[in-house]
């Protein structure tokens, strides 16, 4: 599983992420305000699966489909899903943002992706936008991104600067993405930036709508 968080393994095969537990409620408040009352959501790079369980439990009218290219992550998602036993939480997909042969056809009312763009090559973000452009309902389908970003008009927080340096020391293809570059890429796939929400711990939520 591709994560820099301190991950602990539980006896049933589930993984638990302190960061995922900490940020779930703050993210959920934004999702409640902007996701449709009912419909389908594809989560890209679900990691441990704790967000998938928390959000599908809190939003029972939404059919939530988690995904991750990592078999370890998918095993964790499945373990959390067994414990939660939620009728609207679907089995995890082996979706790789860089491999279109793994993508579902949709359509989906929303795509949600947290903490992937900076811990992956830029080609993964390119794939994510292509996937969103292909599978979101039009007009109005929603893409939601969560994580740290660089912004031309906002000084980079020292904690994010140190995090960026750490990412690049692990893999030179990783690193905080420029928000303007992400928005330009989104536009190329028919997605319009509609909202920037400042989140705790120097993170952002970026919302896009399919035109």
């Amino acid at each position: 599983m591709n994560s820099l968080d301190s991950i602990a393994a539980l006896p049933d095969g589930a993984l638990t992420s302190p960061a995922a537990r900490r940020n779930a409620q703050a993210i959920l408040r934004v999702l409640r305000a902007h996701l449709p009352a009912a419909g389908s959501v594809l989560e890209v790079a679900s990691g441990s699966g704790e967000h998938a369980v928390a959000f599908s439990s809190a939003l029972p009218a939404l059919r939530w489909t988690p995904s991750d290219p990592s078999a370890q992550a998918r095993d964790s998602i499945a373990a959390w899903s067994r414990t939660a036993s939620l009728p609207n939480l679907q089995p995890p997909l082996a979706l790789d943002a860089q491999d279109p042969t793994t993508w579902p056809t949709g359509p989906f009312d929303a795509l949600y992706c947290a903490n992937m763009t900076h811990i992956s090559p830029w080609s993964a973000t390119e794939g994510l936008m292509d996937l969103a452009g292909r599978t979101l309902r039009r007009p109005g389908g929603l893409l939601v991104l969560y994580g740290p970003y660089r912004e031309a008009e906002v000084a980079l927080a020292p904690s994010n600067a140190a995090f960026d340096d750490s990412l690049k020391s692990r893999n030179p293809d990783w690193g905080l993405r420029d928000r303007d570059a992400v928005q330009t890429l989104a536009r190329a796939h028919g997605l319009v930036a509609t909202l920037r929400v400042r989140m705790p711990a120097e993170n952002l939520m970026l919302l896009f709508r399919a035109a």
Side-chain angles (χ1 to χ4, degrees):
M1 192 175 80
N2 190 20
S3 173
L4 298 184
D5 190 23
S6 56
I7 302 291
L10 302 179
D12 62 355
L15 302 171
T16 183
S17 160
R21 293 196 305 274
R22 284 195 304 270
N23 63 30
Q25 289 306 307
I27 294 172
L28 179 59
R29 284 193 289 272
V30 180
L31 294 180
R32 279 190 191 278
H34 297 282
L35 287 175
S40 58
V41 179
L42 174 64
E43 181 181 1
V44 178
S46 300
S48 69
E50 290 168 289
H51 277 182
V53 168
F55 301 156
S56 57
S57 175
L59 305 166
L62 291 173
R63 186 172 67 258
W64 197 279
T65 301
S67 71
D68 205 282
S70 162
Q72 182 186 21
R74 294 194 302 275
D75 288 345
S76 177
I77 297 164
W80 283 110
S81 297
R82 286 193 298 272
T83 299
S85 190
L86 298 167
N88 61 321
L89 181 56
Q90 306 302 299
L93 302 180
L95 186 160
D96 184 339
Q98 299 179 86
D99 182 1
T101 66
T102 68
W103 299 353
T105 57
F108 295 96
D109 295 290
L111 266 65
Y112 165 73
C113 182
N115 290 324
M116 184 200 80
T117 62
H118 55 286
I119 314 178
S120 61
W122 177 246
S123 57
T125 301
E126 291 175 324
L128 175 65
M129 293 302 178
D130 190 7
L131 171 65
R134 294 189 194 193
T135 62
L136 281 175
R137 294 188 190 279
R138 293 180 182 273
L142 177 66
L143 170 64
V144 180
L145 304 183
Y146 170 87
Y149 290 88
R150 290 182 174 273
E151 299 182 283
E153 72 277 19
V154 180
L156 189 64
S159 58
N160 276 352
F163 184 41
D164 189 45
D165 289 342
S166 175
L167 290 169
K168 290 174 179 173
S169 72
R170 288 166 168 81
N171 188 323
D173 292 330
W174 294 359
L176 272 62
R177 304 305 175 190
D178 182 83
R179 191 197 72 197
D180 289 341
V182 172
Q183 292 177 344
T184 297
L185 179 62
R187 283 197 300 273
H189 292 279
L191 306 170
V192 179
T194 58
L195 189 65
R196 168 196 179 276
V197 182
R198 190 169 181 85
M199 302 295 286
E202 305 298 339
N203 289 299
L204 298 175
M205 288 184 76
L206 303 178
L207 276 61
F208 304 82
R209 292 282 181 184

